[in-house]
Amino acid sequence: MCLAVGLALAAPAAAFEIFGFRFFEDETEDAVIADPQPYTIEVVIAGDGDLEGVVRRASTLVQDSADPASGAAGLLATARGDYQRIVAAMYGEGRYGPVVSISVGGREASTLPPDVSLPDPVPVVITVDPGPEFRFSRLAIANQAPPTADPDDYVDPPFEVGFAAGEVARSGLVLRAESLALEAWRQLGHPKAAVASRDVVADHATNTVDVTLVVDPGPRAAFGAVSVTGHERMDPEFVAWMTGLTVGEEYDPDEIEQAQKRLDRLEVFQVARLEAAQNVGPDGLLPFTAIVQELPGRRFGVGATYSSVDGLGVEAFHLWRNLFGRAERLRLDARVASIGYPVDTSQFDYFFGGTFTKPGVFTPDTDFIAAVSAERSIYPTYTETSLSARAGLNHVLSDHIAFEAGAQFERNRFDDVFGTRDFAVLGLYGSATLDFRDNPTNATEGWYLQGTLEPYYELVYGNPQARLVVEGRTYFGFGDDDQFVLAGRLRAGALVGPSLDQIPPDKLFFAGGGGSVRGYGYRSIGVDDGNGNITGGRYLLEGSVEARARVTQDIGVVGFVDGGYVAADVFPAITDLRLGAGIGVRYETGFGPLRADLAIPLNKRAGDPDYAVYVGIGQAF
């Protein structure tokens, strides 16, 4: 027997109708206020027991079983919706002949009136016979896009995602194949590509499914002008320019995605959305509208960190957005740290600084950034009082690659084992960042690499110097939904210059602390001068390994080992490596995981703590 299945031509890409059911669309029901109706739930699968999990995930009755329903009417309304949800789930597994029964108190839910009287609690049994597994047989996509030699325009052919003869005929694969066929045309400059018709035929005699899709590519187009609506203080011409869309350039969905990211990076919009015109114009241009809603002009925030070694730190910032109508930002930061008990203000660290950012300098992807700061910091190895200023450009080359370069000046006074010394530094800085992580705040896969170079001239002693730092990170996730993650970090640094007593201590390398070798004080690992005094070194090598496991959706645990050493002129023996190890917990929030780590030094020396506790936001790396 063959059963033809008609699909509505006007159905959106995320929903379609098959066998009289509509799938992949939102469902809303009017709330009913009634006495709670508790119930128990049982799921029975005939034949293939492996599908029980599919049924349980699809059933609202199962998902909400811990909470009483809203009266008998609410329970029956949910049950009636479950018929469709479970059938849709079976189609998603290639089962096109399922039989679904939902009994409430021993009677079929679909036959019960809404005002029926039910026991408390009422037993609910979901029985599903999935039927045979269907497989694709004859598949055709008419008007497929021609192949392209441009790797940026390449789209996986539908057969690579399972839309092929002999594969299980999961209903979602039809939508996936459709989406890929349309995306292939859009990558070739056809923004209005659409599915003209779908024909799905399920043959219950052979347990096969035939699918024919007809694609209408629509006209080829180029970008038209960008207009802006919803703006208040923002310059609309600047907003249009910041999209980076050029009138007359061939339409490319990748450019639309980049334009959206450029608007988001401005940090002045609560909502920013690019919307294409309904039709391509007779001139072959497709105009766009940037629909925006601006954020308030000011923002204030506070934060805190704590370490059992370094004490409490509190900080605050004030941000002004869109100072002159082109997304300029001014941020002021203040911080007081190393607050311990008993309170001794002479041991506090202070910081105050301001940063000005001007987006869209030279290109939409280039920002001008200028910053000034003043600080006083007391480290285990030296005390610093300084003024600094820097100005430069930050360029985003792609989603994964960014560059920064500029000039800087610093005026410092240090108190350490060499006495009280003044320094003045004038130089350049540059960095390159390659970030291929899936999530910057809580990565489960990918890698990260950053290199920073600072050539400068120290004016007081008259010495040229240069500092280089390279850091790499990598992540390996495995298990269901990357439940387990192995993460590694390696950081190396080198400094070229005169003797240690003529190099500013903040340019020398130290290790230790929450972002370095946990279990030791911040910047407490350095070079022993032979008299028990610690100074910074010319060379640094440190690394970390973490094993992360997610216990629940929001809670995770971590085990870690950190290590590092600092050298004066040559790398010391491996026996000088300082090691720390510990455990931690993570609590997932909307802005990154809250982190609490307990670490102990494995080869502590005089003055090192017995343990250290670190609390912060985000993973350690």
Side-chain angles (χ1 to χ4, degrees):
M1 177 184 71
C2 285
L3 178 61
V5 183
L7 293 96
L9 302 186
F16 69 88
E17 183 175 323
I18 182 171
F19 296 160
F21 296 100
R22 288 185 61 79
F23 304 113
F24 307 101
E25 64 177 350
D26 292 335
E27 300 176 11
T28 58
E29 297 182 15
D30 294 333
V32 178
I33 300 176
D35 293 333
Q37 175 61 66
Y39 63 94
T40 61
I41 189 75
E42 181 183 359
V43 176
V44 179
I45 306 296
D48 192 346
D50 292 340
L51 294 174
E52 181 176 344
V54 176
V55 173
R56 287 184 171 274
R57 287 189 294 271
S59 169
T60 302
L61 286 170
V62 172
Q63 299 300 319
D64 296 346
S65 59
D67 300 318
S70 180
L75 177 62
L76 294 176
T78 302
R80 285 191 289 271
D82 262 5
Y83 285 107
Q84 177 173 323
R85 285 184 282 267
I86 293 171
V87 169
M90 291 298 98
Y91 286 2
E93 297 298 318
R95 306 299 181 112
Y96 289 90
V99 177
V100 179
S101 172
I102 302 177
S103 69
V104 177
R107 291 178 289 175
E108 195 65 32
S110 60
T111 66
L112 295 175
D115 59 351
V116 66
S117 179
L118 299 174
D120 185 7
V122 60
V124 176
V125 180
I126 300 175
T127 304
V128 179
D129 182 354
E133 186 178 70
F134 283 64
R135 292 185 176 270
F136 288 124
S137 179
R138 290 184 296 274
L139 305 176
I141 301 178
N143 296 333
Q144 278 191 278
T148 175
D150 187 344
D152 292 333
D153 292 340
Y154 176 80
V155 177
D156 289 334
F159 72 83
E160 289 196 3
V161 299
F163 188 70
E167 298 290 338
V168 178
R170 295 181 171 88
S171 58
L173 289 176
V174 178
L175 293 178
R176 180 65 176 144
E178 192 177 287
S179 175
L180 291 172
L182 298 180
E183 180 63 19
W185 276 113
R186 290 168 183 154
Q187 288 289 344
L188 297 181
H190 294 257
K192 298 302 181 180
V195 172
S197 66
R198 309 180 189 94
D199 188 26
V200 180
V201 178
D203 188 337
H204 287 258
T206 60
N207 298 331
T208 59
V209 173
D210 298 339
V211 181
T212 300
L213 303 176
V214 179
V215 177
D216 176 10
R220 193 168 185 174
F223 289 120
V226 177
S227 58
V228 182
T229 63
H231 58 285
E232 297 176 8
R233 299 178 59 244
M234 282 291 292
D235 180 349
E237 293 184 4
F238 177 76
V239 175
W241 183 74
M242 283 298 295
T243 65
L245 301 181
T246 303
V247 175
E249 182 182 351
E250 181 182 283
Y251 173 87
D252 187 341
D254 298 332
E255 288 296 324
I256 300 298
E257 182 180 353
Q258 288 301 317
Q260 182 67 60
K261 291 177 179 178
R262 292 184 184 108
L263 294 180
D264 294 341
R265 282 202 303 265
L266 291 176
E267 299 183 14
V268 295
F269 297 125
Q270 183 171 334
V271 175
R273 185 178 78 254
L274 282 168
E275 189 173 283
Q278 191 70 25
N279 300 301
V280 178
D283 55 0
L285 299 180
L286 180 64
F288 279 81
T289 300
I291 303 170
V292 302
Q293 180 181 344
E294 297 179 17
L295 287 165
R298 298 181 181 180
R299 180 184 174 194
F300 177 82
V302 296
T305 59
Y306 174 76
S307 162
S308 60
V309 175
D310 304 311
L312 174 68
V314 293
E315 56 190 86
F317 73 88
H318 198 293
L319 174 67
W320 287 266
R321 296 187 180 96
N322 195 23
L323 289 175
F324 311 117
R326 294 199 167 192
E328 302 89 349
R329 300 189 301 275
L330 176 62
R331 172 172 169 145
L332 301 182
D333 288 271
R335 180 174 66 249
V336 180
S338 299
I339 303 173
Y341 185 82
V343 175
D344 183 357
T345 56
S346 65
Q347 298 300 308
F348 285 4
D349 295 340
Y350 301 96
F351 173 89
F352 181 79
T355 303
F356 173 77
T357 303
K358 171 68 177 75
V361 177
F362 305 127
T363 78
D365 297 311
T366 308
D367 296 347
F368 170 76
I369 302 174
V372 295
S373 64
E375 69 173 302
R376 174 182 178 270
S377 297
I378 301 176
Y379 300 109
T381 51
Y382 66 88
T383 297
E384 172 187 5
T385 304
S386 66
L387 294 172
S388 64
R390 62 166 48 193
L393 299 176
N394 182 48
H395 181 74
V396 178
L397 183 65
S398 70
D399 290 344
H400 306 291
I401 303 174
F403 299 97
E404 185 177 8
Q408 60 183 341
F409 175 77
E410 297 179 11
R411 183 66 169 149
N412 318 88
R413 171 166 291 179
F414 297 96
D415 293 289
D416 61 3
V417 297
F418 297 110
T420 299
R421 296 168 298 154
D422 292 329
F423 293 92
V425 170
L426 178 64
L428 305 174
Y429 65 90
S431 70
T433 303
L434 287 76
D435 191 347
F436 288 84
R437 296 173 293 180
D438 60 341
N439 185 332
T441 62
N442 193 12
T444 60
E445 61 181 26
W447 56 275
Y448 171 96
L449 181 65
Q450 183 180 65
T452 301
L453 176 64
E454 296 181 65
Y456 58 89
Y457 190 82
E458 201 289 304
L459 300 172
V460 174
Y461 291 90
N463 294 313
Q465 303 173 30
R467 190 175 192 265
L468 173 66
V469 179
V470 178
E471 180 173 354
R473 307 172 188 177
T474 187
Y475 308 84
F476 302 94
F478 53 96
D480 293 339
D481 196 24
D482 291 329
Q483 182 179 1
F484 304 97
V485 177
L486 290 178
R489 178 185 70 91
L490 187 65
R491 184 170 184 256
L495 190 150
V496 178
S499 59
L500 296 183
D501 62 339
Q502 295 185 21
I503 300 175
D506 66 331
K507 300 297 184 184
L508 293 171
F509 292 106
F510 293 88
S516 178
V517 183
R518 284 164 285 188
Y520 298 85
Y522 180 60
R523 298 174 70 88
S524 65
I525 300 174
V527 176
D528 191 330
D529 66 356
N531 298 315
N533 300 313
I534 301 298
T535 68
R538 298 178 186 274
Y539 302 101
L540 167 74
L541 185 63
E542 63 180 30
S544 302
V545 177
E546 284 195 350
R548 305 170 184 171
R550 194 174 62 250
V551 180
T552 69
Q553 193 65 27
D554 298 323
I555 299 175
V557 295
V558 173
F560 58 86
V561 176
D562 300 334
Y565 53 53
V566 177
D569 294 302
V570 295
F571 280 116
I574 194 67
T575 55
D576 291 323
L577 178 68
R578 311 294 286 277
L579 294 172
I583 57 174
V585 295
R586 305 289 185 266
Y587 180 78
E588 185 59 46
T589 68
F591 48 85
L594 295 177
R595 179 180 79 253
D597 289 335
L598 171 64
I600 59 173
L602 298 182
N603 51 348
K604 59 176 294 187
R605 300 178 182 179
D608 289 332
D610 295 325
Y611 66 90
V613 176
Y614 305 92
V615 179
I617 297 176
Q619 296 286 3
F621 60 90

